[in-house]
Amino acid sequence: MGKVIKPAIFAGIAIAVGGTVFLNVGGLAGAVLFSFGLITVIHYKLKLYTGTAGFVTKDSWGQLGIILLANIIGCLVSALIVRTGAPQLVDAADAIVAKRLAAGPLRCGLMGIGCGLIMTTAVQFGRKQQWLPLLFGVPVFILCGFTHCIADAFYYCMASPSLLLGNAGMIILTYVLVVIGNLAGCNLYRLFVDKEDL
């Protein structure tokens, strides 16, 4: 179990680093620099929910929930540190959370499909030491407005407690649908691509 939990927590931390730079910089530059998080995940062979969901087998489905939870723990620990060191970033996180709330659960869940597709594709290339798709994939999903459940976990952990508590039910429903949307998108390729072609 430690071989899953520890690399999954570290993956959450890596994505939180990407999220922190995006909160600081924003725009195209922030989206490109966010890629460092996913590059770290691939380099160290960490367990990221969206980097694993597209490769699960019938024997490994049970690990996916553990990976998700451990990723969230990594994001939470990172957010506690970043909130203390850079409290000015709370406003930027609040703006992202407000966008999710304005879009609503269904739209956020549907936008999660696109992110899942991009993540699995980028990871496929990264596993073959081809890094450009990773470098392009992350900014593409961010600039498209696609939702990533682990990045969102970090943004929620960074947001104002009052914003979270006042919208707890809607945030939980939105988050669950993004997780499902990511899962669907991560496995979309299975409908169109033969295993032997990968």
Side-chain angles (χ1 to χ4, degrees):
M1 195 65 72
K3 289 186 177 178
V4 173
I5 293 175
K6 288 198 291 187
I9 291 174
F10 190 21
I13 293 169
I15 296 303
V17 170
T20 302
V21 75
F22 184 72
L23 292 178
N24 263 295
V25 178
L28 177 59
V32 171
L33 293 172
F34 193 117
S35 300
F36 180 79
L38 190 57
I39 290 169
T40 301
V41 168
I42 301 301
H43 177 73
Y44 287 117
K45 298 184 169 100
L46 304 178
K47 299 287 187 182
L48 180 66
Y49 176 81
T50 50
T52 306
F55 306 96
V56 290
T57 63
K58 60 181 180 180
D59 299 323
S60 62
W61 274 103
Q63 287 187 355
L64 207 52
I66 296 168
I67 290 169
L68 176 63
L69 183 59
N71 287 168
I72 293 170
I73 290 170
C75 288
L76 175 61
V77 169
S78 301
L80 292 174
I81 294 168
V82 174
R83 284 174 64 94
T84 303
Q88 71 277 9
L89 296 183
V90 171
D91 289 343
D94 282 354
I96 292 174
V97 173
K99 267 181 152 178
R100 299 290 186 263
L101 291 169
L106 181 59
R107 285 169 59 194
C108 287
L110 290 172
M111 294 302 271
I113 297 172
C115 177
L117 173 63
I118 290 169
M119 287 298 92
T120 294
T121 303
V123 170
Q124 289 272 19
F125 280 100
R127 288 180 173 186
K128 296 176 181 177
Q129 305 301 305
Q130 298 176 33
W131 301 104
L132 275 181
L134 278 174
L135 192 57
F136 287 120
V138 174
V140 166
F141 94 69
I142 291 174
L143 297 176
C144 284
F146 294 152
T147 48
H148 185 280
C149 63
I150 308 306
D152 279 4
F154 174 68
Y155 299 140
Y156 288 133
C157 290
M158 280 292 297
S160 303
S162 58
L163 178 61
L164 298 177
L165 293 173
N167 300 280
M170 190 64 69
I171 286 171
I172 291 169
L173 179 58
T174 300
Y175 190 75
V176 169
L177 290 184
V178 170
V179 168
I180 294 169
N182 284 169
L183 178 63
C186 285
N187 289 280
L188 193 59
Y189 76 97
R190 296 181 193 263
L191 299 176
F192 303 99
V193 181
D194 294 329
K195 222 175 184 181
E196 54 270 19
D197 294 334
L198 294 174

